[in-house]
Amino acid sequence: MAKPRWAERLGVVRPTGCYVSRDAYGDQDTVVCTFGYRGADNDEDRHALVMVVDYNMRGIARDAWVSSHVDKLLDQARTEAGANPMLRFEEIEPQQARALLESAMKATAEYGDRRSNVPVSDSYSAYHAFARARIKALPPGRKRPAPLHSEAPYSRDRRAMLAAEFLSSDAAEHLSDPSAASRCADHIIDYGCDQDFGRPLRVSPTKCQTFLLDWLPRKVLLTPAEQEAVPYVLGAWARFAARRNGLADR
């Protein structure tokens, strides 16, 4: 298969648009940045860099690829978002896209190692240098946009107040061991604050699975009572947080 002409063309690229597709759970952002060449008077050499930022993996850039079918790619993303209430597709400023992608690539360099159970795709590795070059073509100057469901930072007192609010809610009324439930709630909140960009109230099936099967066994020594309680507490927390985030009715 012949390489597209832009793959080896010399010249200065210019960004022509930046977009992000987000799922309602806040698990990941798919960032699309489109480019052309300065002085070009047609769309023949337009191309798009696509990068997937995974917030369940410390915000790494988990996957990346390049497409020559820019209009088809954007139309498909808009169509999917229009048909699925769990997706949102919107345009963002190039400065925001650069800050987001630079942060994701930095996280990949720090955490993206198959030996550390935070794998990246072969496609990301193949397009790494190309992606860095295209990101540098975006204008700098903005802070990284906050992930979906971001809140103000949680102090220790605010974490304790959130735990107390959860334990007194209808979602937690069936929990039979208040002491174990309280300790499990503290672990859930700490995980959300310290590992998920300060988002203890963000819930998704993937996040819950990562917490329960990966982070918790490696980081916390649970008592027998906590081991028995944690699946029920996590389920109650998911119902409590989903209502707070407006996910309960989706």
Side-chain angles (χ1 to χ4, degrees), residues 4 6 14-19 32-37 42-50 65-78 89:
W6 54 260
R14 58 182 177 84
T16 58
C18 295
Y19 310 84
V32 180
C33 299
T34 64
F35 300 90
Y37 284 90
N42 57 56
D43 292 337
E44 185 177 354
D45 292 330
R46 284 179 71 206
H47 52 280
L49 170 68
V50 185
W65 65 93
V66 179
S67 173
S68 301
H69 306 288
V70 176
D71 292 334
K72 181 179 180 181
L73 178 69
L74 296 177
D75 287 344
Q76 182 178 352
R78 293 189 184 100
F89 182 74

Side-chain angles (χ1 to χ4, degrees), residues 21 27 52 59 68 70 88 98 108 144 149 162 182 199 210 224:
S21 179
D27 283 327
V52 178
S68 301
V70 176
R88 188 172 75 191
R98 175 168 177 165
T108 304
R144 178 187 183 281
H149 304 311
L162 181 60
S182 177
R199 301 184 293 176
T210 303

Side-chain angles (χ1 to χ4, degrees), residues 113-136:
D113 188 330
R114 295 182 186 278
R115 293 169 298 178
S116 65
N117 201 32
V118 184
V120 297
S121 71
D122 293 336
S123 178
Y124 175 84
S125 301
Y127 283 107
H128 179 267
F130 183 90
R132 290 181 66 86
R134 287 300 180 266
I135 291 170
K136 287 181 179 179

Side-chain angles (χ1 to χ4, degrees), residues 24-25 148-151 154 158 162-163 165-166 188-189 191-193 196-204 207 237-247:
Y25 289 123
L148 199 63
H149 304 311
S150 291
E151 301 181 77
Y154 274 76
R158 190 181 178 200
L162 181 60
E165 181 181 354
F166 161 66
I188 294 169
I189 293 170
Y191 175 75
C193 290
D196 189 30
F197 300 87
R199 301 184 293 176
L201 287 167
R202 184 183 82 84
V203 290
S204 77
K207 179 181 176 179
W237 179 267
R239 293 188 293 274
F240 168 77
R243 285 197 286 267
R244 292 280 295 266
N245 283 330
L247 292 174

